[in-house]
Amino acid sequence: MTNSSGVSFTIDATDGASRYLHVRVSVSPPFNSKKLILKFPRWVPGSYFIREPMQYLTGISCKQNGKNIEFNRKAVDSVEIKISDLSSDVVVDYKILGIELSVRSTHIDSSHLHMMPPFTFLLPTSGIDKSRMDMKHKIILHCPTKWTPATQLTSSDYKSEIDSIIGNQADCYVFSAPNRDELLDGIMEVNPNENISFKVDGRSHILKIWDSGNYTTNQKMLERFITDMKKIIKEYHALFGVPVWGEYVTVLHLTEKSRGGLEHLNSQSSMLPRICLIDGHDDEYRDLISLFS
């Protein structure tokens, strides 16, 4: 095994109306124990409280060669799996209830998915060689057709109109993360809205908007915001230089009252009341600019 961890994560957003995100974790051999332990991190990059994502998990099953194998819940964050065949993949399926609307959590409904990896992925921590945990990880997204993802994860493939892991028609996107830290930092926003692209000093930026009430954003205010984004970015370039790594993704959630922001290596999730992009509300617009900055 050269540069691949042999661990892949599949998320299926085609059942959003149920408020569940379907998740599959596949772990390939070799195994160094007959027990494989998967854990939630219990922390979120950029946030500083202990989290309890296990409370949102349900419907877990563990299989090898298509047959159920024994597992047990451990403590508040772990699942211990008894491996029946050391030479075949372990496949773990479960659902995450995505009802908490915040920049720190996974949220899903019929209009979008906001995926926070530490809130979503059980991670192998024992039963495979530790060196594999910091190798390349594969992330597969199944989403409703005409939805598009925005993420700092590296894109590697796209296929249209396939069957998802729960049998619904879906588009399929494949991503990778070079190590576990970047996997856990790789937030994803998926919805039918366009990925608004622009460049500043040669560096690509993407703005991905979602409105919790399905309202249309005022085009004039949106153009004003993009213009001011460019001004702020140029100022940062003047202060610190142009970053040499990849494109930057800004996820903006427009809500009734909720507000928050979370920074990542090459992206951010920001959330503000939609009034910030309604003409005439100057204080709220300044709050948006401040939060983006």
Side-chain angles (χ1 to χ4, degrees):
M1 193 171 297
T2 55
N3 65 346
S4 175
S5 65
V7 182
S8 65
F9 302 88
T10 302
I11 52 175
D12 187 335
T14 60
D15 190 27
S18 72
R19 310 304 305 275
Y20 282 111
L21 177 65
H22 295 255
V23 183
R24 173 172 292 168
V25 182
S26 299
V27 185
S28 299
F31 301 102
N32 58 20
S33 169
K34 290 188 176 180
K35 291 183 179 179
L36 177 67
I37 295 178
L38 307 182
K39 286 187 177 183
F40 279 118
R42 300 185 71 200
W43 52 267
V44 168
S47 186
Y48 308 105
F49 295 95
I50 293 296
R51 308 291 172 184
E52 303 291 354
M54 185 66 85
Q55 65 182 308
Y56 297 96
L57 181 148
T58 189
I60 188 170
S61 68
C62 304
K63 295 183 178 181
Q64 281 190 297
N65 302 310
K67 296 181 180 179
N68 290 322
I69 56 176
E70 184 179 340
F71 69 91
N72 293 291
R73 286 272 300 272
K74 292 288 184 180
V76 297
D77 59 355
S78 308
V79 175
E80 183 182 88
I81 302 167
K82 186 176 181 180
I83 297 176
S84 62
D85 180 0
L86 292 174
S87 63
S88 65
D89 292 0
V90 173
V91 179
V92 182
D93 286 306
Y94 55 91
K95 296 184 291 185
I96 294 291
L97 181 62
I99 57 173
E100 183 180 321
L101 180 57
S102 81
V103 296
R104 300 174 299 276
S105 58
T106 291
H107 185 268
I108 187 171
D109 60 22
S110 58
S111 68
H112 92 130
L113 164 68
H114 180 262
M115 193 276 292
M116 170 61 71
F119 204 94
T120 303
F121 296 141
L122 283 167
L123 306 175
T125 59
S126 179
I128 63 173
D129 191 275
K130 289 184 178 180
S131 65
R132 293 173 59 183
M133 299 178 192
D134 204 35
M135 293 180 181
K136 185 177 180 180
H137 289 68
K138 183 178 181 181
I139 305 96
I140 302 165
L141 164 69
H142 294 158
C143 64
T145 56
K146 299 182 180 179
W147 285 24
T148 54
T151 179
Q152 68 184 29
L153 296 169
T154 301
S155 177
S156 59
D157 197 12
Y158 162 71
K159 296 178 182 178
S160 180
E161 296 185 357
I162 66 167
D163 286 336
S164 72
I165 61 175
I166 58 172
N168 293 333
Q169 190 178 70
D171 285 351
C172 177
Y173 295 83
V174 181
F175 302 91
S176 64
N179 51 58
R180 183 156 293 191
D181 282 350
E182 292 194 39
L183 167 75
L184 291 173
D185 196 43
I187 62 162
M188 188 181 298
E189 172 65 27
V190 194
N191 64 52
N193 298 326
E194 67 173 322
N195 288 5
I196 302 171
S197 301
F198 57 90
K199 289 189 176 183
V200 180
D201 295 333
R203 190 188 188 204
S204 296
H205 287 257
I206 290 175
L207 172 62
K208 185 73 162 180
I209 293 179
W210 172 75
D211 190 295
S212 64
N214 200 30
Y215 292 99
T216 301
T217 305
N218 181 286
Q219 190 63 31
K220 179 181 176 182
M221 290 297 295
L222 179 57
E223 291 172 1
R224 178 185 175 187
F225 177 47
I226 294 171
T227 297
D228 287 337
M229 288 175 72
K230 293 177 180 178
K231 292 177 182 177
I232 290 169
I233 293 164
K234 285 189 75 69
E235 185 64 22
Y236 277 109
H237 288 175
L239 289 168
F240 304 112
V242 180
V244 295
W245 52 91
E247 66 186 12
Y248 189 88
V249 176
T250 299
V251 174
L252 177 60
H253 289 172
L254 300 173
T255 66
E256 294 291 333
K257 296 181 180 179
S258 299
R259 184 192 187 281
L262 207 57
E263 62 215 294
H264 303 280
L265 175 65
N266 228 17
S267 62
Q268 64 174 271
S269 286
S270 291
M271 177 183 292
L272 277 172
R274 67 179 60 87
I275 196 173
C276 69
L277 282 176
I278 295 177
D279 196 11
H281 295 272
D282 292 339
D283 288 344
E284 290 80 5
Y285 179 74
R286 290 192 190 98
D287 192 24
L288 169 62
I289 293 300
S290 174
L291 185 60
F292 168 72
S293 178

